[in-house]
């Protein structure tokens, strides 16, 4: 009888281990984010202010031609639980037309136009007179689904990229450059889960993008009435794959399930070690 109980306990432990591994594979697959790596260029220009920022999507490179000294703006979406990385490459004019080193800067702002510091990356880069290009990168803190009103925590919604010259010889102002930018995102998992959701994403008012027919009708009606009222142009941003507030899955589910299973196995093992013998 004891051998039968031992075999039953061992069999239950094996099945529990198999169930844990199966759940891990399934949950990991459910939570994986698939970026669009088609390489298709979505935008070939940049805005020159927050209100005229060009809309781009995650994983889609954008290009623009500009003059040295211009401020270049793009706006992209980011949802809760995402850790975004913005990268910009500036192709500089020939060294025979430049008179000295030039420093470029890449800044990230949220939908409220609050500057977001870079948790990693190199947002400033200097090119010497002989360099053909330079690369800048900025990865702000992970986007959270909720924060206190006084906090500057990154929240779901629109994010701006601003590429600009920080320092250069005055004679080099106006020289032509070409730039390319791309924003990628990865899942930050349960480390940024805070147990709350933002009612609405922080979308900019008066930004670039396709104006919906409804908004356009409201604006035209307000113009006819001699005022704007509450009408405003809203940026049309592609919503992240898992929504603005993120998907239902994160690795906390896996750790919780694993902890519960290990606790059950520990209880079975403890019972097996401490139970009295049948003949006692």
């Amino acid at each position: 009888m004891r051998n039968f109980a031992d075999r039953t306990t061992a069999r239950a432990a094996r099945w529990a281990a198999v169930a844990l591994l199966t759940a891990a594979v399934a949950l990991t697959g459910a939570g994986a984010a698939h970026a669009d790596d088609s390489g298709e260029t979505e935008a070939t220009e940049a805005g020159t202010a927050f209100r005229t920022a060009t809309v781009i999507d995650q994983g889609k490179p954008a290009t623009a031609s500009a003059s040295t000294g211009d401020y270049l703006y793009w706006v992209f979406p980011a949802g809760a639980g995402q850790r975004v990385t913005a990268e910009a490459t500036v192709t500089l004019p020939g060294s025979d037309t430049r008179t000295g080193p030039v420093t470029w800067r890449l800044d990230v702002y949220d939908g409220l136009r609050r500057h977001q510091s870079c948790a990693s990356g190199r947002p400033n880069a200097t090119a010497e007179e002989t360099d053909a290009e330079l690369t800048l990168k900025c990865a702000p803190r992970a986007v959270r689904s909720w924060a206190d009103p006084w906090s500057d925590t990154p929240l779901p919604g629109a994010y701006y990229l601003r590429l600009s010259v920080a320092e250069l010889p005055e004679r080099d102002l106006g020289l032509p450059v070409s730039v390319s930018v791309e924003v990628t995102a990865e899942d930050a998992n349960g480390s940024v889960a805070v147990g709350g959701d933002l009612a609405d994403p922080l979308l900019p008012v008066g930004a670039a993008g396709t104006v919906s027919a409804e908004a356009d009708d409201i604006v035209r009606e307000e113009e006819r009435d001699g005022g704007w009222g509450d009408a405003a142009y809203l940026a049309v941003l592609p919503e992240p794959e898992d929504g603005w507030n993120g998907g239902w899955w994160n690795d906390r589910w896996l750790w919780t399930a694993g902890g519960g299973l290990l606790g059950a196995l520990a209880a079975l093992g403890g019972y097996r070690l401490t139970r009295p013998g049948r003949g006692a």
Side-chain angles (χ1 to χ4, degrees):
M1 195 68 183
R2 179 167 182 167
N3 290 336
F4 175 76
D6 292 343
R7 288 196 300 271
T8 301
T9 302
R11 187 178 298 112
R14 287 196 299 269
W15 278 109
V18 171
L20 176 60
L21 290 174
T22 302
V25 173
L27 290 176
T28 302
H34 300 284
D36 187 339
D37 58 358
S38 62
E40 179 184 358
T41 298
E42 290 291 305
T44 56
E45 59 182 11
T48 56
F50 284 106
R51 293 177 62 88
T52 59
T54 297
V55 177
I56 60 176
D57 198 0
Q58 295 177 3
K60 301 287 183 66
T63 60
S65 297
S67 298
T68 303
D70 288 344
Y71 283 83
L72 307 178
Y73 290 82
W74 297 265
V75 59
F76 64 92
Q82 289 189 329
R83 196 183 307 274
V84 299
T85 300
E87 185 170 349
T89 300
V90 182
T91 302
L92 303 166
S95 59
D96 56 334
T97 62
R98 290 153 52 200
T99 60
V102 57
T103 300
W104 285 74
R105 179 180 177 86
L106 182 65
D107 293 293
V108 178
Y109 298 83
D110 65 11
L112 299 179
R113 302 184 186 179
R114 301 177 301 181
H115 185 266
Q116 297 294 325
S117 58
C118 303
S120 63
R122 188 178 66 160
N124 294 280
T126 300
E128 298 300 329
E129 189 175 347
T130 56
D131 293 336
E133 67 177 29
L134 54 79
T135 300
L136 306 98
K137 182 181 294 187
C138 178
R141 294 169 296 167
V143 179
R144 294 180 179 266
S145 60
W146 182 87
D148 290 313
W150 48 262
S151 172
D152 64 348
T153 299
L155 292 170
Y159 282 80
Y160 294 98
L161 284 182
R162 184 176 74 180
L163 183 63
S164 60
V165 172
E167 186 176 352
L168 83 163
E170 186 175 355
R171 292 179 59 186
D172 291 351
L173 278 172
L175 291 178
V177 294
S178 60
V179 302
S180 63
V181 297
E182 184 173 4
V183 176
T184 56
E186 62 180 8
D187 191 358
N189 293 319
S191 61
V192 297
V194 294
D197 289 336
L198 197 67
D200 294 297
L202 301 179
L203 297 180
V205 174
T210 303
V211 179
S212 67
E214 181 181 0
D216 189 57
D217 291 341
I218 294 175
V219 170
R220 292 179 184 276
E221 181 178 352
E222 293 291 339
E223 284 181 334
R224 287 196 299 269
D225 294 340
W228 284 90
D230 296 330
Y233 286 99
L234 299 179
V236 178
L237 293 177
E239 185 173 341
E241 182 179 353
D242 291 332
W244 293 110
N245 286 319
W248 63 270
W249 183 92
N250 62 60
D251 57 0
R252 288 189 179 184
W253 288 93
L254 185 59
W255 286 106
T256 301
L261 182 57
L262 290 176
L265 293 177
L268 288 173
Y271 171 75
R272 180 180 177 183
L273 292 173
T274 59
R275 66 181 177 177
R278 304 289 288 181

